[in-house]
Amino acid sequence: MNATETNTNEGVVVIQDLTKSFDTTEVLKGITLSLKKGENLVVLGKSGTGKSVLIKCIVRLLKSDSGSIKVLGNEVTELNNTDMNEVRRKIGFLFQGGALYDSMTVRENLEFPLKRMYKNLTKAEVDAKVKEALENVGLPDSIDKMPSELSGGMKKRISLARTIIVDPEIMLYDEPTTGLDPVSSHEISLLINEVQQKYKTSSIIITHDIECAKTVANRIIMLQEGKVYKEGVLSDFENTDDELVNSYFKSQNITNTKTI
Amino acid sequence: MKKTIPIPENEMEPMQKMRPKEISVKKKNKLEVFLADVGNATGFVLKVFKNIFGKDFEFNQFLKQCFAIGNQSLGLISVTGIIIGLVLTIQSRPVLVNFGAVSMLPGMVAISIIREMGPVITALICAGKIGSSMGAEIGSMRVTEQIDAMEVSSTNPIKFLIVPRVLAATFMLPLLTLYADALGILGSWIGANIKGDVSFVLFISQAFSGVEFSDLFPAVVKTFFFGAVIGFVGCYKGFNAGRGTESVGIAANSAVVMASLLVIIVDLIAVQITDLL
């Protein structure tokens, strides 16, 4: 099957028995999950449970030890680099810190993936795409700014614009609200929903922010010690006797109450 | 008295479990660590070579890096070049006067500068200036996941970041060295005129009467290797920086130390080879 061919009957991302170790530390211990077309799948879990490692394995920033990762029908663990790059064109990845290129302006940051993935675009087409992406994240006036001139929330928005500019089918968000104030966190959560509706993306959102999860999730998976601990919709997590899930949700509620 | 309850293995966070491993890594034999580092560096160099000769060369990035390297180092090299010429002349003059050989001063200084002082001093300055800059810049890109962002944008970071920097360093160092040589000779003329009176034309004519092609050629050739060493080391240290911000400083620092050391070693090898020919 070609790298760009799509077979999404079973899900746009299908992971089976995925394992990943660093030296002798087993971080992922046989993860199995599936991302359905058009859904927002939230992956919850404490720090160090392998959430970020999981999505980095999907785009092959990290190589998995064993198991299967199918993205749009392509087994990414077996693809050569050229075919993997074709698959990456369909995936948007929002990094935890934004990962904007320091030495480039906002315009150049947005043009970078666009010019590299779509080499035949004219300058007018590139300009129009950049303008549209910035308007979608509500920052059209930041076009000539350097990343150092932007606040944390603005960086996340620009980073999101850089990700959606290439019209990805799948979005991977690595802790999109970490380090942001509650207002900016909520705005980013709403933007994630807007992206889902406007671009018809299927998304995996890695987070430990319950408010973000409540806003964006169609389905939730909770990881614990490198394994899927619980899977379901939000109400399954809110109305459960499970001590671990409750302690997680309750502790977040206590924090929010104290903040208010 | 408080009792310390040991945490069972299965209740530990992965990072906690990692700690004993980290300690065992630190206890590894230094030779093993050195050999592993040499192996990684060799793999890195091979990857860079593979990408130099591949298609889609990043010419704009190459020009940008050439400008950055030249622009960054020009002021420092100008000052250093003049001072080296000046000091060599002031130090050598009394000895030559004693032997009545002061007329040999321009030729002697020119040979010293062209053969050894110009290339080595320029390379050491560039190792400090360019090597640290590359180590810090690429290291910071690694720490802030910018290199990862490039990869997921279907861009090969070796091709985009490393190849242009290594090639720019390789090709700019000979130019900077020739510039330093010229300013060194100028500095020498100024030095000669502090306690004497010699015209610029006469000084230059005497300086170059003692210099042969066999002095200039090996000296220029070795500067290509100096440049390559600085580029490779700076980029390698930055590209393999750890995950914390501390590792940016470590990358920059180790890039300078390693590049300076390798410049001296390459110089030794180059001198030995030139001597044999």
Side-chain angles (χ1 to χ4, degrees), chain B residues 82-103:
Chain B
I82 289 181
I83 291 174
I84 290 294
L86 201 62
V87 168
L88 268 179
T89 308
I90 293 168
Q91 298 267 28
S92 312
R93 193 176 174 4
V95 181
L96 292 174
V97 167
N98 286 343
F99 287 101
V102 76
S103 63

Side-chain angles (χ1 to χ4, degrees), chain A residues 73-129:
Chain A
N74 302 285
E75 180 58 55
V76 298
T77 55
E78 292 169 2
L79 292 179
N80 61 31
N81 286 341
T82 313
D83 288 342
M84 188 60 219
N85 280 339
E86 284 297 311
V87 172
R88 282 175 176 157
R89 287 168 66 144
K90 309 277 182 189
I91 305 174
F93 196 118
L94 183 75
F95 287 86
Q96 195 173 337
L100 292 175
Y101 307 123
D102 302 324
S103 57
M104 299 182 194
T105 63
V106 167
R107 181 198 298 274
E108 288 163 344
N109 261 285
L110 267 67
E111 284 177 351
F112 187 86
L114 199 58
K115 285 181 174 173
R116 277 158 196 284
M117 291 187 190
Y118 301 98
K119 292 185 177 171
N120 298 327
L121 289 179
T122 63
K123 192 181 179 309
E125 285 169 327
V126 170
D127 287 346
K129 280 272 210 184

Side-chain angles (χ1 to χ4, degrees), chain B residues 224-266:
Chain B
F224 282 98
F225 289 96
F226 290 166
V229 161
I230 293 166
F232 273 120
V233 173
C235 291
Y236 171 73
K237 292 290 180 186
F239 202 75
N240 291 287
R243 285 284 165 187
T245 45
E246 186 196 29
S247 48
V248 177
I250 294 172
N253 183 267
S254 55
V256 176
V257 174
M258 189 53 72
S260 304
L261 181 66
L262 286 176
V263 161
I264 302 291
I265 293 171
V266 169

Side-chain angles (χ1 to χ4, degrees), chain A residues 23-25 29 46-48 56 59 61 85 88-89 93 95-97 99-102 104 112-113 116-117 119 162 225, chain B residues 10-15 17-18 21 25 56 58 64 137 140-141 144-146 148-155 160 243:
Chain A
D23 294 325
T24 54
T25 307
K29 300 173 185 171
K46 284 196 285 185
S47 300
K56 284 184 178 174
V59 286
L61 280 176
N85 280 339
R88 282 175 176 157
R89 287 168 66 144
F93 196 118
F95 287 86
Q96 195 173 337
L100 292 175
Y101 307 123
D102 302 324
M104 299 182 194
F112 187 86
R116 277 158 196 284
M117 291 187 190
K119 292 185 177 171
R162 187 179 66 182
E225 291 189 352
Chain B
N10 58 356
E11 287 178 23
M12 281 184 183
E13 291 286 312
M15 288 312 290
K17 288 180 193 168
M18 229 176 262
K21 176 64 191 170
V25 168
D56 296 334
E58 298 281 351
K64 199 175 158 188
E137 188 185 4
S140 127
M141 291 184 79
T144 55
E145 296 183 309
Q146 292 175 51
D148 289 345
M150 256 174 212
E151 276 195 66
V152 296
S153 298
S154 306
T155 301
F160 186 80
R243 285 284 165 187

Side-chain angles (χ1 to χ4, degrees), chain B residues 22 50 60 108 122 137 163 276:
Chain B
E22 282 168 8
K50 193 179 157 195
N60 286 341
M108 198 195 80
T122 307
E137 188 185 4
V163 168
L276 289 173

Side-chain angles (χ1 to χ4, degrees), chain A residues 32-237:
Chain A
T32 297
L33 63 84
S34 161
L35 173 69
K36 291 171 196 158
K37 193 168 171 61
E39 80 167 340
N40 276 353
L41 173 66
V42 168
V43 179
L44 281 175
K46 284 196 285 185
S47 300
T49 48
K51 304 187 299 292
S52 298
V53 173
L54 173 70
I55 55 170
K56 284 184 178 174
C57 286
I58 295 174
V59 286
R60 220 166 70 183
L61 280 176
L62 292 173
K63 280 191 178 171
S64 55
D65 296 337
S66 66
S68 157
I69 305 171
K70 281 190 177 173
V71 177
L72 300 167
N74 302 285
E75 180 58 55
V76 298
T77 55
E78 292 169 2
L79 292 179
N80 61 31
N81 286 341
T82 313
D83 288 342
M84 188 60 219
N85 280 339
E86 284 297 311
V87 172
R88 282 175 176 157
R89 287 168 66 144
K90 309 277 182 189
I91 305 174
F93 196 118
L94 183 75
F95 287 86
Q96 195 173 337
L100 292 175
Y101 307 123
D102 302 324
S103 57
M104 299 182 194
T105 63
V106 167
R107 181 198 298 274
E108 288 163 344
N109 261 285
L110 267 67
E111 284 177 351
F112 187 86
L114 199 58
K115 285 181 174 173
R116 277 158 196 284
M117 291 187 190
Y118 301 98
K119 292 185 177 171
N120 298 327
L121 289 179
T122 63
K123 192 181 179 309
E125 285 169 327
V126 170
D127 287 346
K129 280 272 210 184
V130 169
K131 202 178 159 198
E132 186 197 338
L134 284 176
E135 278 169 1
N136 284 336
V137 296
L139 289 172
D141 298 333
S142 309
I143 192 161
D144 291 318
K145 286 187 176 168
M146 296 301 287
S148 56
E149 298 173 74
L150 305 172
S151 68
M154 288 163 87
K155 277 183 190 169
K156 281 271 166 75
R157 283 163 175 264
I158 298 296
S159 188
L160 184 56
R162 187 179 66 182
T163 310
I164 58 176
I165 201 167
V166 290
D167 300 327
E169 290 179 33
I170 299 164
M171 284 290 297
L172 304 174
Y173 298 91
D174 189 4
E175 310 212 3
T177 58
T178 298
L180 299 181
D181 61 87
V183 177
S184 302
S185 294
H186 187 62
E187 285 172 356
I188 293 290
S189 303
L190 294 177
L191 261 177
I192 291 172
N193 283 341
E194 277 178 38
V195 168
Q196 181 197 20
Q197 282 153 20
K198 187 165 183 178
Y199 294 89
K200 309 290 177 210
T201 53
S202 320
S203 310
I204 296 179
I205 301 115
I206 301 293
T207 187
H208 44 64
D209 175 358
I210 295 294
E211 288 307 311
C212 172
K214 283 179 180 173
T215 311
V216 302
N218 297 124
R219 196 157 56 93
I220 299 175
I221 282 178
M222 189 170 191
L223 296 189
Q224 175 69 6
E225 291 189 352
K227 289 179 181 168
V228 175
Y229 183 78
K230 186 174 170 63
E231 185 175 351
V233 293
L234 182 62
S235 57
D236 297 335
F237 281 78

